Short mmCIF file of all heavy atoms in Angstrom, two decimals:
data_model
loop_
_atom_site.label_atom_id
_atom_site.label_comp_id
_atom_site.label_asym_id
_atom_site.label_seq_id
_atom_site.Cartn_x
_atom_site.Cartn_y
_atom_site.Cartn_z
N MET J 189 -13.15 2.52 -3.26
CA MET J 189 -12.33 2.64 -2.07
C MET J 189 -11.15 3.51 -2.30
O MET J 189 -10.71 3.67 -3.48
CB MET J 189 -11.96 1.25 -1.56
CG MET J 189 -10.55 0.80 -1.86
SD MET J 189 -10.30 -0.98 -1.60
CE MET J 189 -10.94 -1.64 -3.14
N LYS J 190 -10.66 4.15 -1.23
CA LYS J 190 -9.50 5.05 -1.39
C LYS J 190 -8.36 4.52 -0.50
O LYS J 190 -8.61 4.16 0.65
CB LYS J 190 -9.92 6.47 -0.96
CG LYS J 190 -8.99 7.50 -1.47
CD LYS J 190 -9.57 8.90 -1.24
CE LYS J 190 -8.54 9.95 -1.53
NZ LYS J 190 -8.82 11.21 -0.93
N ILE J 191 -7.16 4.54 -1.06
CA ILE J 191 -6.00 4.02 -0.34
C ILE J 191 -5.08 5.17 0.05
O ILE J 191 -4.77 6.04 -0.82
CB ILE J 191 -5.19 3.06 -1.20
CG1 ILE J 191 -6.08 2.01 -1.88
CG2 ILE J 191 -4.04 2.42 -0.46
CD1 ILE J 191 -6.84 1.19 -0.90
N THR J 192 -4.67 5.21 1.32
CA THR J 192 -3.65 6.16 1.72
C THR J 192 -2.56 5.42 2.50
O THR J 192 -2.78 4.39 3.11
CB THR J 192 -4.24 7.29 2.61
OG1 THR J 192 -4.82 6.69 3.75
CG2 THR J 192 -5.25 8.11 1.87
N VAL J 193 -1.35 6.00 2.42
CA VAL J 193 -0.23 5.48 3.20
C VAL J 193 0.33 6.63 4.04
O VAL J 193 0.56 7.72 3.52
CB VAL J 193 0.88 4.93 2.29
CG1 VAL J 193 2.13 4.61 3.07
CG2 VAL J 193 0.39 3.68 1.54
N ASP J 194 0.49 6.35 5.32
CA ASP J 194 1.13 7.35 6.19
C ASP J 194 2.65 7.29 5.92
O ASP J 194 3.30 6.37 6.35
CB ASP J 194 0.84 7.02 7.65
CG ASP J 194 1.36 8.09 8.58
OD1 ASP J 194 2.34 8.77 8.22
OD2 ASP J 194 0.78 8.24 9.67
N THR J 195 3.12 8.27 5.18
CA THR J 195 4.53 8.24 4.74
C THR J 195 5.49 8.47 5.91
O THR J 195 6.66 8.15 5.81
CB THR J 195 4.78 9.24 3.62
OG1 THR J 195 4.30 10.53 4.05
CG2 THR J 195 4.06 8.84 2.35
N ASP J 196 4.98 9.01 7.03
CA ASP J 196 5.82 9.16 8.20
C ASP J 196 6.13 7.77 8.84
O ASP J 196 7.17 7.59 9.47
CB ASP J 196 5.20 10.05 9.25
CG ASP J 196 5.19 11.51 8.78
OD1 ASP J 196 6.04 11.85 7.96
OD2 ASP J 196 4.31 12.25 9.28
N LEU J 197 5.17 6.86 8.65
CA LEU J 197 5.32 5.54 9.25
C LEU J 197 6.04 4.57 8.32
O LEU J 197 6.76 3.67 8.77
CB LEU J 197 3.95 4.93 9.57
CG LEU J 197 3.15 5.59 10.69
CD1 LEU J 197 1.79 4.93 10.82
CD2 LEU J 197 3.90 5.50 12.00
N CYS J 198 5.82 4.71 7.01
CA CYS J 198 6.32 3.71 6.04
C CYS J 198 7.85 3.59 6.12
O CYS J 198 8.58 4.60 6.07
CB CYS J 198 5.95 4.15 4.62
SG CYS J 198 6.63 3.01 3.37
N GLU J 199 8.31 2.37 6.29
CA GLU J 199 9.75 2.10 6.38
C GLU J 199 10.23 1.28 5.17
O GLU J 199 11.24 0.59 5.24
CB GLU J 199 10.07 1.36 7.67
CG GLU J 199 9.76 2.24 8.91
CD GLU J 199 9.96 1.50 10.24
OE1 GLU J 199 10.07 0.25 10.21
OE2 GLU J 199 9.92 2.17 11.27
N VAL J 200 9.41 1.24 4.11
CA VAL J 200 9.76 0.67 2.84
C VAL J 200 10.12 -0.84 3.00
O VAL J 200 11.04 -1.32 2.36
CB VAL J 200 10.93 1.43 2.15
CG1 VAL J 200 10.93 1.22 0.67
CG2 VAL J 200 10.86 2.91 2.42
N HIS J 201 9.28 -1.50 3.80
CA HIS J 201 9.52 -2.94 3.94
C HIS J 201 9.15 -3.71 2.69
O HIS J 201 9.71 -4.76 2.43
CB HIS J 201 8.71 -3.50 5.12
CG HIS J 201 9.15 -2.98 6.47
ND1 HIS J 201 10.33 -3.34 7.04
CD2 HIS J 201 8.58 -2.05 7.27
CE1 HIS J 201 10.48 -2.72 8.18
NE2 HIS J 201 9.42 -1.92 8.36
N GLY J 202 8.15 -3.23 1.98
CA GLY J 202 7.79 -3.86 0.70
C GLY J 202 6.79 -4.97 0.80
O GLY J 202 6.40 -5.56 -0.19
N ASP J 203 6.31 -5.29 2.02
CA ASP J 203 5.32 -6.33 2.13
C ASP J 203 4.05 -6.01 1.34
O ASP J 203 3.44 -6.90 0.79
CB ASP J 203 4.96 -6.52 3.61
CG ASP J 203 6.15 -6.79 4.49
OD1 ASP J 203 7.01 -5.90 4.55
OD2 ASP J 203 6.26 -7.87 5.05
N CYS J 204 3.70 -4.74 1.29
CA CYS J 204 2.48 -4.36 0.56
C CYS J 204 2.66 -4.55 -0.92
O CYS J 204 1.71 -4.87 -1.63
CB CYS J 204 2.15 -2.89 0.84
SG CYS J 204 3.45 -1.73 0.44
N VAL J 205 3.89 -4.39 -1.45
CA VAL J 205 4.13 -4.60 -2.87
C VAL J 205 3.96 -6.08 -3.21
O VAL J 205 3.45 -6.42 -4.25
CB VAL J 205 5.56 -4.11 -3.22
CG1 VAL J 205 5.83 -4.36 -4.71
CG2 VAL J 205 5.72 -2.63 -2.89
N VAL J 206 4.40 -6.93 -2.29
CA VAL J 206 4.22 -8.37 -2.50
C VAL J 206 2.73 -8.76 -2.49
O VAL J 206 2.28 -9.49 -3.34
CB VAL J 206 4.98 -9.16 -1.38
CG1 VAL J 206 4.67 -10.65 -1.49
CG2 VAL J 206 6.49 -8.90 -1.47
N ALA J 207 2.02 -8.14 -1.57
CA ALA J 207 0.56 -8.47 -1.43
C ALA J 207 -0.27 -7.90 -2.55
O ALA J 207 -1.20 -8.55 -3.03
CB ALA J 207 0.06 -7.96 -0.09
N ALA J 208 0.04 -6.68 -3.00
CA ALA J 208 -0.79 -6.01 -4.01
C ALA J 208 0.10 -5.22 -4.99
O ALA J 208 0.17 -4.00 -4.95
CB ALA J 208 -1.77 -5.05 -3.30
N PRO J 209 0.74 -5.97 -5.86
CA PRO J 209 1.71 -5.33 -6.79
C PRO J 209 1.07 -4.38 -7.81
O PRO J 209 1.78 -3.54 -8.38
CB PRO J 209 2.38 -6.51 -7.50
CG PRO J 209 1.45 -7.65 -7.31
CD PRO J 209 0.73 -7.40 -6.03
N ASP J 210 -0.23 -4.50 -8.01
CA ASP J 210 -0.91 -3.53 -8.92
C ASP J 210 -1.19 -2.20 -8.24
O ASP J 210 -1.49 -1.22 -8.92
CB ASP J 210 -2.24 -4.12 -9.40
CG ASP J 210 -2.03 -5.32 -10.32
OD1 ASP J 210 -1.02 -5.34 -11.04
OD2 ASP J 210 -2.88 -6.25 -10.30
N ILE J 211 -1.07 -2.18 -6.94
CA ILE J 211 -1.46 -0.98 -6.19
C ILE J 211 -0.23 -0.26 -5.62
O ILE J 211 -0.20 0.97 -5.55
CB ILE J 211 -2.38 -1.35 -5.00
CG1 ILE J 211 -3.57 -2.20 -5.52
CG2 ILE J 211 -2.85 -0.13 -4.24
CD1 ILE J 211 -4.46 -1.48 -6.53
N PHE J 212 0.77 -1.03 -5.19
CA PHE J 212 1.93 -0.43 -4.52
C PHE J 212 3.19 -0.77 -5.29
O PHE J 212 3.34 -1.86 -5.89
CB PHE J 212 2.07 -0.97 -3.08
CG PHE J 212 0.86 -0.72 -2.24
CD1 PHE J 212 -0.04 -1.76 -1.96
CD2 PHE J 212 0.61 0.52 -1.70
CE1 PHE J 212 -1.14 -1.54 -1.16
CE2 PHE J 212 -0.50 0.74 -0.90
CZ PHE J 212 -1.38 -0.27 -0.65
N ASP J 213 4.17 0.17 -5.21
CA ASP J 213 5.44 -0.09 -5.89
C ASP J 213 6.54 0.64 -5.12
O ASP J 213 6.29 1.66 -4.46
CB ASP J 213 5.42 0.41 -7.33
CG ASP J 213 6.63 -0.04 -8.10
OD1 ASP J 213 7.16 -1.14 -7.80
OD2 ASP J 213 7.05 0.70 -9.00
N ILE J 214 7.73 0.08 -5.16
CA ILE J 214 8.90 0.74 -4.57
C ILE J 214 9.99 0.76 -5.62
O ILE J 214 10.45 -0.31 -6.06
CB ILE J 214 9.38 -0.02 -3.32
CG1 ILE J 214 8.32 -0.04 -2.23
CG2 ILE J 214 10.65 0.63 -2.77
CD1 ILE J 214 8.67 -0.91 -1.04
N GLY J 215 10.38 1.96 -6.05
CA GLY J 215 11.47 2.08 -7.00
C GLY J 215 12.79 2.04 -6.26
O GLY J 215 12.82 2.15 -5.04
N GLU J 216 13.87 1.94 -7.00
CA GLU J 216 15.21 1.82 -6.38
C GLU J 216 15.54 2.97 -5.47
O GLU J 216 16.18 2.79 -4.43
CB GLU J 216 16.26 1.70 -7.49
CG GLU J 216 16.62 0.29 -7.81
CD GLU J 216 17.72 0.22 -8.84
OE1 GLU J 216 18.63 1.06 -8.82
OE2 GLU J 216 17.64 -0.68 -9.69
N ASP J 217 15.11 4.16 -5.84
CA ASP J 217 15.49 5.37 -5.08
C ASP J 217 14.38 5.88 -4.16
O ASP J 217 14.55 6.92 -3.55
CB ASP J 217 15.90 6.49 -6.04
CG ASP J 217 17.13 6.10 -6.87
OD1 ASP J 217 17.97 5.37 -6.35
OD2 ASP J 217 17.21 6.54 -8.03
N ASP J 218 13.29 5.12 -4.08
CA ASP J 218 12.17 5.61 -3.25
C ASP J 218 12.46 5.44 -1.76
O ASP J 218 12.96 4.34 -1.38
CB ASP J 218 10.90 4.82 -3.59
CG ASP J 218 10.38 5.18 -4.98
OD1 ASP J 218 10.77 6.24 -5.51
OD2 ASP J 218 9.56 4.44 -5.56
N ASP J 219 12.11 6.44 -0.97
CA ASP J 219 12.24 6.27 0.48
C ASP J 219 10.90 6.10 1.17
O ASP J 219 10.83 5.93 2.38
CB ASP J 219 13.05 7.40 1.13
CG ASP J 219 12.53 8.75 0.71
OD1 ASP J 219 11.48 8.84 0.08
OD2 ASP J 219 13.24 9.74 1.00
N VAL J 220 9.83 6.13 0.37
CA VAL J 220 8.51 5.68 0.85
C VAL J 220 7.88 4.93 -0.32
O VAL J 220 8.24 5.12 -1.49
CB VAL J 220 7.56 6.82 1.32
CG1 VAL J 220 8.10 7.53 2.51
CG2 VAL J 220 7.31 7.80 0.13
N VAL J 221 6.87 4.10 0.02
CA VAL J 221 6.18 3.35 -1.02
C VAL J 221 5.39 4.28 -1.91
O VAL J 221 4.93 5.33 -1.46
CB VAL J 221 5.29 2.26 -0.35
CG1 VAL J 221 4.04 2.91 0.28
CG2 VAL J 221 4.87 1.22 -1.37
N GLN J 222 5.27 3.94 -3.19
CA GLN J 222 4.44 4.69 -4.12
C GLN J 222 3.10 4.00 -4.30
O GLN J 222 3.07 2.75 -4.41
CB GLN J 222 5.16 4.78 -5.50
CG GLN J 222 6.55 5.34 -5.39
CD GLN J 222 6.58 6.75 -4.84
OE1 GLN J 222 5.84 7.62 -5.31
NE2 GLN J 222 7.44 6.97 -3.86
N ILE J 223 2.06 4.78 -4.35
CA ILE J 223 0.71 4.21 -4.63
C ILE J 223 0.46 4.35 -6.13
O ILE J 223 0.42 5.47 -6.66
CB ILE J 223 -0.38 4.94 -3.82
CG1 ILE J 223 -0.10 4.84 -2.33
CG2 ILE J 223 -1.74 4.32 -4.14
CD1 ILE J 223 -1.07 5.58 -1.46
N LEU J 224 0.33 3.24 -6.79
CA LEU J 224 0.12 3.25 -8.26
C LEU J 224 -1.32 3.58 -8.59
O LEU J 224 -1.62 4.17 -9.64
CB LEU J 224 0.47 1.86 -8.85
CG LEU J 224 1.94 1.42 -8.63
CD1 LEU J 224 2.08 0.00 -9.18
CD2 LEU J 224 2.92 2.35 -9.28
N ASN J 225 -2.23 3.15 -7.73
CA ASN J 225 -3.68 3.36 -7.97
C ASN J 225 -4.32 3.66 -6.66
O ASN J 225 -4.53 2.72 -5.83
CB ASN J 225 -4.24 2.07 -8.63
CG ASN J 225 -5.69 2.24 -8.97
OD1 ASN J 225 -6.33 3.27 -8.68
ND2 ASN J 225 -6.27 1.24 -9.62
N ALA J 226 -4.62 4.93 -6.39
CA ALA J 226 -5.12 5.33 -5.09
C ALA J 226 -6.64 5.08 -4.93
O ALA J 226 -7.17 5.17 -3.83
CB ALA J 226 -4.82 6.80 -4.83
N GLU J 227 -7.30 4.85 -6.04
CA GLU J 227 -8.77 4.61 -5.97
C GLU J 227 -9.10 3.35 -6.77
O GLU J 227 -9.79 3.45 -7.78
CB GLU J 227 -9.52 5.81 -6.44
CG GLU J 227 -9.30 7.04 -5.54
CD GLU J 227 -10.23 8.18 -5.87
OE1 GLU J 227 -11.39 7.96 -6.31
OE2 GLU J 227 -9.86 9.34 -5.63
N PRO J 228 -8.64 2.22 -6.33
CA PRO J 228 -8.82 0.97 -7.08
C PRO J 228 -10.25 0.42 -6.96
O PRO J 228 -10.98 0.75 -6.05
CB PRO J 228 -7.83 0.03 -6.44
CG PRO J 228 -7.68 0.50 -5.08
CD PRO J 228 -7.84 1.98 -5.11
N GLY J 229 -10.58 -0.45 -7.90
CA GLY J 229 -11.89 -1.10 -7.88
C GLY J 229 -11.96 -2.18 -6.85
O GLY J 229 -10.95 -2.59 -6.23
N GLU J 230 -13.16 -2.67 -6.63
CA GLU J 230 -13.43 -3.69 -5.58
C GLU J 230 -12.64 -4.96 -5.83
O GLU J 230 -12.36 -5.72 -4.91
CB GLU J 230 -14.89 -4.02 -5.57
CG GLU J 230 -15.76 -2.98 -4.84
CD GLU J 230 -15.30 -2.80 -3.37
OE1 GLU J 230 -15.12 -3.81 -2.68
OE2 GLU J 230 -15.16 -1.68 -2.95
N GLU J 231 -12.27 -5.22 -7.09
CA GLU J 231 -11.55 -6.47 -7.38
C GLU J 231 -10.17 -6.52 -6.67
O GLU J 231 -9.57 -7.59 -6.54
CB GLU J 231 -11.38 -6.68 -8.89
CG GLU J 231 -10.53 -5.65 -9.62
CD GLU J 231 -11.29 -4.43 -10.11
OE1 GLU J 231 -12.31 -4.06 -9.47
OE2 GLU J 231 -10.87 -3.84 -11.11
N TYR J 232 -9.73 -5.35 -6.22
CA TYR J 232 -8.41 -5.31 -5.54
C TYR J 232 -8.55 -5.37 -4.03
O TYR J 232 -7.53 -5.35 -3.32
CB TYR J 232 -7.67 -4.04 -5.94
CG TYR J 232 -7.24 -4.04 -7.38
CD1 TYR J 232 -7.86 -3.21 -8.32
CD2 TYR J 232 -6.19 -4.84 -7.80
CE1 TYR J 232 -7.46 -3.23 -9.66
CE2 TYR J 232 -5.79 -4.88 -9.12
CZ TYR J 232 -6.41 -4.04 -10.04
OH TYR J 232 -6.02 -4.06 -11.33
N ARG J 233 -9.77 -5.39 -3.50
CA ARG J 233 -9.94 -5.23 -2.05
C ARG J 233 -9.22 -6.31 -1.27
O ARG J 233 -8.50 -6.00 -0.30
CB ARG J 233 -11.42 -5.17 -1.67
CG ARG J 233 -11.63 -4.92 -0.19
CD ARG J 233 -13.09 -4.77 0.17
NE ARG J 233 -13.70 -3.57 -0.33
CZ ARG J 233 -13.71 -2.38 0.30
NH1 ARG J 233 -13.15 -2.23 1.45
NH2 ARG J 233 -14.31 -1.34 -0.24
N ALA J 234 -9.35 -7.56 -1.68
CA ALA J 234 -8.74 -8.64 -0.91
C ALA J 234 -7.22 -8.49 -0.83
O ALA J 234 -6.63 -8.66 0.22
CB ALA J 234 -9.11 -9.99 -1.55
N ALA J 235 -6.63 -8.12 -1.96
CA ALA J 235 -5.14 -7.96 -1.98
C ALA J 235 -4.75 -6.77 -1.10
O ALA J 235 -3.72 -6.85 -0.40
CB ALA J 235 -4.68 -7.75 -3.41
N ILE J 236 -5.55 -5.73 -1.12
CA ILE J 236 -5.20 -4.52 -0.34
C ILE J 236 -5.37 -4.79 1.17
O ILE J 236 -4.57 -4.34 1.97
CB ILE J 236 -5.99 -3.31 -0.82
CG1 ILE J 236 -5.59 -2.98 -2.27
CG2 ILE J 236 -5.75 -2.11 0.09
CD1 ILE J 236 -6.54 -2.08 -2.98
N VAL J 237 -6.45 -5.46 1.49
CA VAL J 237 -6.64 -5.85 2.91
C VAL J 237 -5.47 -6.71 3.40
O VAL J 237 -4.93 -6.48 4.48
CB VAL J 237 -7.97 -6.60 3.11
CG1 VAL J 237 -8.06 -7.24 4.48
CG2 VAL J 237 -9.18 -5.65 2.90
N GLN J 238 -5.03 -7.61 2.57
CA GLN J 238 -3.87 -8.40 2.86
C GLN J 238 -2.64 -7.53 3.07
O GLN J 238 -1.87 -7.73 4.01
CB GLN J 238 -3.62 -9.41 1.72
CG GLN J 238 -2.44 -10.38 1.97
CD GLN J 238 -2.67 -11.31 3.13
OE1 GLN J 238 -3.82 -11.52 3.56
NE2 GLN J 238 -1.61 -11.86 3.63
N ALA J 239 -2.51 -6.54 2.22
CA ALA J 239 -1.36 -5.63 2.34
C ALA J 239 -1.40 -4.85 3.65
O ALA J 239 -0.37 -4.69 4.29
CB ALA J 239 -1.38 -4.61 1.16
N THR J 240 -2.60 -4.42 4.06
CA THR J 240 -2.70 -3.67 5.34
C THR J 240 -2.31 -4.60 6.49
O THR J 240 -1.69 -4.14 7.46
CB THR J 240 -4.13 -3.13 5.58
OG1 THR J 240 -5.03 -4.22 5.72
CG2 THR J 240 -4.56 -2.22 4.49
N LYS J 241 -2.64 -5.88 6.40
CA LYS J 241 -2.32 -6.83 7.48
C LYS J 241 -0.83 -7.10 7.51
O LYS J 241 -0.23 -7.35 8.56
CB LYS J 241 -3.06 -8.12 7.30
CG LYS J 241 -4.57 -8.01 7.56
CD LYS J 241 -5.25 -9.34 7.37
CE LYS J 241 -6.75 -9.23 7.56
NZ LYS J 241 -7.44 -10.42 7.10
N MET J 242 -0.22 -7.11 6.33
CA MET J 242 1.22 -7.46 6.26
C MET J 242 2.14 -6.28 6.60
O MET J 242 3.26 -6.50 6.96
CB MET J 242 1.54 -7.97 4.84
CG MET J 242 0.95 -9.34 4.61
SD MET J 242 1.20 -9.88 2.88
CE MET J 242 2.95 -10.15 2.79
N CYS J 243 1.63 -5.06 6.47
CA CYS J 243 2.50 -3.91 6.73
C CYS J 243 2.89 -3.89 8.20
O CYS J 243 2.05 -3.82 9.08
CB CYS J 243 1.72 -2.59 6.40
SG CYS J 243 2.72 -1.15 6.76
N PRO J 244 4.19 -3.96 8.49
CA PRO J 244 4.67 -4.07 9.86
C PRO J 244 4.44 -2.82 10.71
O PRO J 244 4.46 -2.89 11.93
CB PRO J 244 6.20 -4.32 9.74
CG PRO J 244 6.46 -4.48 8.27
CD PRO J 244 5.30 -3.97 7.49
N VAL J 245 4.15 -1.71 10.06
CA VAL J 245 3.97 -0.47 10.82
C VAL J 245 2.55 0.09 10.66
O VAL J 245 2.27 1.24 11.07
CB VAL J 245 5.01 0.60 10.38
CG1 VAL J 245 6.39 0.16 10.78
CG2 VAL J 245 4.95 0.92 8.90
N ALA J 246 1.64 -0.71 10.09
CA ALA J 246 0.23 -0.32 9.90
C ALA J 246 0.07 1.05 9.26
O ALA J 246 -0.65 1.89 9.75
CB ALA J 246 -0.48 -0.38 11.29
N ALA J 247 0.81 1.26 8.19
CA ALA J 247 0.79 2.58 7.53
C ALA J 247 -0.30 2.71 6.49
O ALA J 247 -0.59 3.83 6.08
CB ALA J 247 2.16 2.81 6.85
N ILE J 248 -0.90 1.60 6.09
CA ILE J 248 -1.89 1.66 4.97
C ILE J 248 -3.28 1.75 5.54
O ILE J 248 -3.68 1.00 6.44
CB ILE J 248 -1.77 0.41 4.10
CG1 ILE J 248 -0.35 0.21 3.62
CG2 ILE J 248 -2.78 0.43 2.95
CD1 ILE J 248 -0.10 -1.18 3.02
N LYS J 249 -4.06 2.72 4.98
CA LYS J 249 -5.46 2.87 5.39
C LYS J 249 -6.36 2.72 4.17
O LYS J 249 -6.03 3.18 3.07
CB LYS J 249 -5.69 4.25 6.01
CG LYS J 249 -4.91 4.47 7.32
CD LYS J 249 -5.64 3.86 8.48
CE LYS J 249 -4.87 4.02 9.78
NZ LYS J 249 -3.71 3.15 9.92
N ILE J 250 -7.49 2.03 4.36
CA ILE J 250 -8.49 1.92 3.33
C ILE J 250 -9.72 2.71 3.77
O ILE J 250 -10.23 2.52 4.90
CB ILE J 250 -8.92 0.43 3.15
CG1 ILE J 250 -7.71 -0.44 2.84
CG2 ILE J 250 -9.99 0.30 2.07
CD1 ILE J 250 -8.04 -1.91 2.83
N GLU J 251 -10.19 3.57 2.89
CA GLU J 251 -11.43 4.34 3.18
C GLU J 251 -12.46 3.87 2.16
O GLU J 251 -12.21 3.81 0.97
CB GLU J 251 -11.21 5.83 2.99
CG GLU J 251 -10.28 6.45 4.02
CD GLU J 251 -9.91 7.87 3.69
OE1 GLU J 251 -10.74 8.60 3.16
OE2 GLU J 251 -8.75 8.24 3.91
N GLY J 252 -13.63 3.57 2.66
CA GLY J 252 -14.72 3.20 1.78
C GLY J 252 -14.77 1.69 1.50
O GLY J 252 -13.90 0.96 1.88
S1 LIG X 1655 4.40 -2.62 3.89
FE1 LIG X 1655 4.05 -0.73 5.00
S2 LIG X 1655 6.06 -0.05 5.62
FE2 LIG X 1655 6.33 -1.53 3.96
S3 LIG X 1655 6.41 -0.37 2.09
FE3 LIG X 1655 4.31 -0.96 2.39
S4 LIG X 1655 3.38 0.76 3.49
FE4 LIG X 1655 5.57 0.98 3.68
#
């Protein structure tokens, strides 16, 4: 699967980092979320789906 974040939408709420900390991260100076692993294995799907549901602006997309 491939993960993308619409950086125009992302407001750095951090809900995705809570849901999937292996995939998303926000550094102190970041103004959009960072994707740590853009093509994660299936073992991360549940956490990433959770992250997409928690994102208040629906910025996260899963392909595949
Ligand atoms: S939950 Fe959504 S808005 Fe918040 S940091 Fe993640 S992608 Fe950005």
Side-chain angles (χ1 to χ4, degrees):
M189 103 193 80
K190 197 170 171 200
I191 309 303
T192 58
V193 170
D194 186 333
T195 52
D196 289 336
L197 292 177
C198 177
E199 296 175 348
V200 203
H201 293 288
D203 304 63
C204 58
V205 180
V206 174
D210 292 328
I211 307 300
F212 302 103
D213 190 31
I214 298 172
E216 263 183 38
D217 297 328
D218 290 342
D219 50 10
V220 295
V221 73
Q222 305 300 310
I223 302 177
L224 300 176
N225 182 355
E227 296 191 28
E230 282 300 313
E231 66 271 28
Y232 292 107
R233 184 176 291 273
I236 295 164
V237 168
Q238 182 66 18
T240 64
K241 289 180 182 167
M242 289 173 70
C243 178
V245 294
I248 304 166
K249 295 278 178 286
I250 304 172
E251 293 170 36

